[in-house]
Amino acid sequence: MNSPPVPLPAEHIPPATAAWRSPDAQRWLAAVPARWAHPLRAVLALLVSMVWYVAESPVAPCTAAEPCGTDWPGLGMMVVLVLTPYWVGRQPRLALVGLAAGLVGFAEDGGFTESFGEPYALAYPLAAAFTTAGIVHRLTLAGRQRALALEAAGQVEQPLPAAARTFRRGRFSFGLAALMLAVAGFGYWQAQQLADAYEERAAGATHLSGLVVAQEQDDDGIDILKVEADERTHRFETAFPEDFPEGSRVDIVVDGDWAALVAEPYDTFGWETLVLGGAAAALGFFANGVDGRTRSARLRRRPLPVLKVLVREGHEDARTWVFAADDRQGLQPILHFHSLHAFEEEDEEEQKEGDEGEADAVDLTKVRQILSGDDPPPPLREAVLYGAPYAGAEVALAARLDADEPEVLVECSVTAVKPAVPRLLVRGAKSRRRKNERRSVEEIAATMTPGPGLRVWKAHGFSRAVGLFLLVVQGGGIWAMLDDGPSWSWLWLPVALAWLISTVATTLTWRITADRDGLWVTGAWRVRRVEWDAITAVRHHEDGIRIGTGKGHDNVDLAPTGWAWLERRLGREPYAVRAADEVRALHLDPELRPAEEAPTARQGTPVGPPLVAVSVLWGAAVLLLL
């Protein structure tokens, strides 16, 4: 049975604060966008249409009159086009601006003219229209959610707690934006250095007209033009050999041993790519910083509606999940967001002056539990939510951390509010209950086949499929590393092979055999004996089975034992989870244990050492074949 929610002291609940009840929460949750308006659909449509247009649209040839040099305005448009799909999900209003700019650039490129006759040119305007309709639909329903939240909160409004009023967002994003802008600036400077160096040298060089006599490729696959001019043969690298067929004439500039094609004077593609990536990242981080700073300032500007709710921190992703105030079991989340604690300056100073030794000990204990996978699921907590929640909103809440912490802390959202989508809701809730609640011994025993014989759990289909895939990866990795001859990368081979061989051997042949006295556990390298009296816990953890043996002894770990995530997505109970549950049932109930003793042939055989020999032979064979 679930424990009751951690209560919130009455003095921290503003007078007349309304509770967000399940009927009101369900009305709010029903006002979510339709499936067709999901941002992922729009992003995929935009990406496919842009890639299709770039791949199929004709490219203007490089000529002496219009050489292929730097195109900073075009690069600026590319920055907007790259960011627009990201903004569709993150900042829809900015995405509308990006879509408008993209359509302007599309029109200037002649796309609308081509759209009447070419499907690839028509795809982008259609994708932009579909994306715009989805964004408008989402923003409209966000307004509906806000109205429903205000209706549930009533007329009561309260200012933010003092700690939340000092909370600032955007600093980290602004710092990253400055760093990325510096990267883009460096790329721009390097590209301009190449362009300026060419212009300066070409101004004093001899301009000639040459004849293309051949096209060829060097050993690295780079296209080369052979041009004869002034009784000399010159070789030029080119990115577009189709623009210079054999027998055509090209303009070149020559200065001693230096020569260049006027149509393709220099190559700044690498630096322009750096500028594109840096500028897109800088603009994205800057927009995030401005958005976060603006939203947090708007939250502090005036008194806010307040609602009594229940909250719980996600056990895996650290999201804050919000539940209706009367959902005492935490079965149906309404919305979620990431949040950080906010502290008043004096509180921070008092905390530093406190008993740091005890706090450090508690923190180390929690860290140790998290790393070992033994930390309990976070509790359900009573909280007061500040701000009208809707998709994309900024909110704050006041709640206790847990039952052992009397202090009430304030948390401020650092990501936008997102509704818990109803279609995924049931699966998510069931999944969380499966992970956080252990079945009783009686429930497990009812699913086990009765009998006094040995019980064996071993690698199954999913586990062996993972092992075979990694075995192929291992063979391909050995081939790739040895293919280029001796190099420093060979130093990584022992480390990578040690991990791969251990993983492959475990996934292919892991085995647990239970007899009357304990367990025989077969891993990659050895078979370990674990007596029943030495076992303290058995659990499935991160695609592995962990058998605890108490303080002062090493735990017995089998990992990986399959792919639990994929098995769940296919509607099956993960085999390794069931194996861990059944071993735990035998440990807790001696009457379920076998009456026989396992012979040597039934204890399992590790295949790590033979795999080492096979890997060495494969490596030798690769060297002989190359």
Side-chain angles (χ1 to χ4, degrees):
M1 181 179 294
N2 291 337
S3 57
V6 177
L8 181 66
E11 60 268 22
H12 290 276
I13 303 176
T17 299
W20 203 5
R21 302 290 180 181
S22 292
D24 293 331
Q26 288 303 315
R27 291 173 58 205
W28 184 95
L29 197 54
V32 296
R35 292 172 59 183
W36 66 266
H38 194 283
L40 181 59
R41 298 176 185 270
V43 168
L44 290 177
L46 284 176
L47 292 178
V48 169
S49 63
M50 287 192 293
V51 171
W52 191 11
Y53 182 77
V54 170
E56 296 293 335
S57 61
V59 180
C62 301
T63 63
E66 295 183 4
C68 293
T70 54
D71 181 14
W72 300 121
L75 193 69
M77 181 59 67
M78 281 298 300
V79 169
V80 175
L81 291 177
V82 167
L83 280 174
T84 298
Y86 167 73
W87 282 337
V88 167
R90 186 68 182 266
Q91 297 182 23
R93 289 180 174 83
L94 274 180
L96 292 176
V97 177
L99 288 170
L103 289 174
V104 170
F106 184 77
E108 291 183 352
D109 197 36
F112 285 112
T113 304
E114 297 173 0
S115 298
F116 293 102
E118 298 293 344
Y120 68 83
L122 184 61
Y124 180 75
L126 291 178
F130 173 73
T131 303
T132 301
I135 290 175
V136 172
H137 177 69
R138 288 160 52 202
L139 292 176
T140 302
L141 288 181
R144 171 66 177 159
Q145 287 181 326
R146 185 177 186 276
L148 290 171
L150 290 174
E151 181 181 336
Q155 301 299 319
V156 178
E157 291 186 342
Q158 293 289 330
L160 276 179
R165 289 196 294 271
T166 63
F167 187 81
R168 296 291 184 273
R169 283 187 57 191
R171 295 174 183 173
F172 185 65
S173 293
F174 287 142
L176 289 177
L179 178 62
M180 292 296 101
L181 187 61
V183 171
F186 176 74
Y188 173 80
W189 176 69
Q190 289 289 344
Q192 282 300 115
Q193 289 284 99
L194 288 175
D196 293 343
Y198 166 77
E199 295 294 344
E200 181 180 353
R201 192 158 190 179
T206 302
H207 289 251
L208 300 173
S209 176
L211 179 67
V212 178
V213 295
Q215 292 184 0
E216 58 187 34
Q217 287 187 338
D218 62 10
D219 295 338
D220 296 326
I222 298 175
D223 291 301
I224 303 295
L225 289 182
K226 295 180 67 175
V227 178
E228 287 187 356
D230 197 21
E231 299 181 352
R232 291 179 60 186
T233 300
H234 303 273
R235 295 168 58 88
F236 303 102
E237 294 183 3
T238 177
F240 305 99
E242 63 276 7
D243 293 343
F244 313 103
E246 293 185 21
S248 63
R249 301 200 68 84
V250 294
D251 293 333
I252 64 175
V253 287
V254 180
D255 183 14
D257 294 333
W258 175 83
L261 277 173
V262 175
E264 291 186 38
Y266 44 81
D267 180 14
T268 58
F269 178 77
W271 296 117
E272 287 181 306
T273 303
L274 183 65
V275 173
L276 173 63
L283 183 56
F285 283 125
F286 180 76
N288 289 344
V290 171
D291 181 67
R293 182 65 58 89
T294 303
R295 288 177 181 273
S296 61
R298 190 182 304 136
L299 202 64
R300 299 189 303 268
R301 191 173 300 159
R302 60 182 181 82
L304 302 167
V306 288
L307 288 165
K308 285 192 292 187
V309 296
L310 298 175
V311 298
R312 173 185 285 150
E313 184 177 300
H315 200 196
E316 297 179 352
D317 55 13
R319 284 191 180 99
T320 298
W321 293 84
V322 177
F323 303 81
D326 54 355
D327 185 6
R328 310 292 287 182
Q329 301 297 320
L331 300 178
Q332 193 167 16
I334 308 168
L335 56 91
H336 60 86
F337 52 86
H338 285 92
S339 62
L340 290 177
H341 291 105
F343 299 97
E344 296 182 67
E345 295 181 1
E346 26 195 71
D347 289 344
E348 292 179 349
E349 294 176 0
E350 291 175 4
Q351 188 179 10
K352 291 179 181 178
E353 294 173 0
D355 186 1
E356 296 181 356
E358 182 179 351
D360 289 344
V362 173
D363 289 342
L364 286 176
T365 301
K366 290 183 177 180
V367 169
R368 193 178 300 113
Q369 288 178 336
I370 292 173
L371 292 177
S372 64
D374 296 329
D375 58 315
L380 201 63
R381 303 173 286 155
E382 294 181 354
V384 173
L385 191 69
Y386 290 83
Y390 58 90
E394 192 95 358
V395 294
L397 63 90
R400 294 166 59 192
L401 280 179
D402 51 51
D404 299 328
E405 179 60 56
E407 184 182 4
V408 174
L409 297 178
V410 176
E411 300 177 34
C412 294
S413 62
V414 293
T415 59
V417 166
K418 291 184 179 180
V421 181
R423 187 174 64 87
L424 301 178
L425 195 59
V426 176
R427 180 185 297 176
K430 289 182 178 178
S431 176
R432 282 190 292 276
R433 287 199 296 273
R434 277 200 304 266
K435 291 180 181 179
N436 294 336
E437 295 181 6
R438 290 186 175 183
R439 296 187 295 169
S440 65
V441 174
E442 294 76 12
E443 184 181 356
I444 299 170
T447 63
M448 298 172 64
T449 304
L454 299 176
R455 295 190 180 274
V456 178
W457 303 267
K458 58 185 179 179
H460 57 299
F462 275 88
S463 180
R464 289 171 181 164
V466 172
L468 289 174
F469 172 76
L470 291 177
L471 188 61
V472 173
V473 171
Q474 175 184 324
I478 293 175
W479 183 290
M481 279 192 159
L482 300 180
D483 186 37
D484 293 333
S487 69
W488 63 270
S489 63
W490 285 21
L491 298 176
W492 292 100
L493 202 56
V495 178
L497 279 181
W499 179 83
L500 273 173
I501 291 174
S502 180
T503 302
V504 169
T506 302
T507 52
L508 287 177
T509 60
W510 68 268
R511 180 187 180 101
I512 299 176
T513 303
D515 63 12
R516 67 184 182 188
D517 298 320
L519 301 174
W520 294 97
V521 183
T522 304
W525 306 103
R526 59 173 175 161
V527 179
R528 292 188 61 177
R529 178 62 165 170
V530 186
E531 304 289 340
W532 290 119
D533 293 340
I535 298 175
T536 58
V538 181
R539 68 192 302 262
H540 182 268
H541 177 66
E542 294 183 354
D543 282 328
I545 298 175
R546 172 170 292 174
I547 302 173
T549 55
K551 295 182 178 180
H553 300 85
D554 293 334
N555 293 329
V556 179
D557 288 313
L558 281 177
T561 53
W563 194 0
W565 179 87
L566 181 57
E567 292 181 71
R568 288 193 178 101
R569 292 303 176 275
L570 295 176
R572 303 181 181 182
E573 181 186 13
Y575 178 79
V577 174
R578 178 156 55 89
D581 284 346
E582 293 180 357
V583 172
R584 179 167 59 87
L586 298 185
H587 167 239
L588 296 176
D589 188 354
E591 294 183 1
L592 297 174
R593 297 172 188 171
E596 301 179 9
E597 183 178 355
T600 304
R602 300 287 302 277
Q603 294 172 8
T605 304
V607 298
L611 270 180
V612 173
V614 171
S615 300
V616 172
L617 291 175
W618 171 246
V622 170
L623 289 175
L624 291 174
L625 291 172
L626 296 177

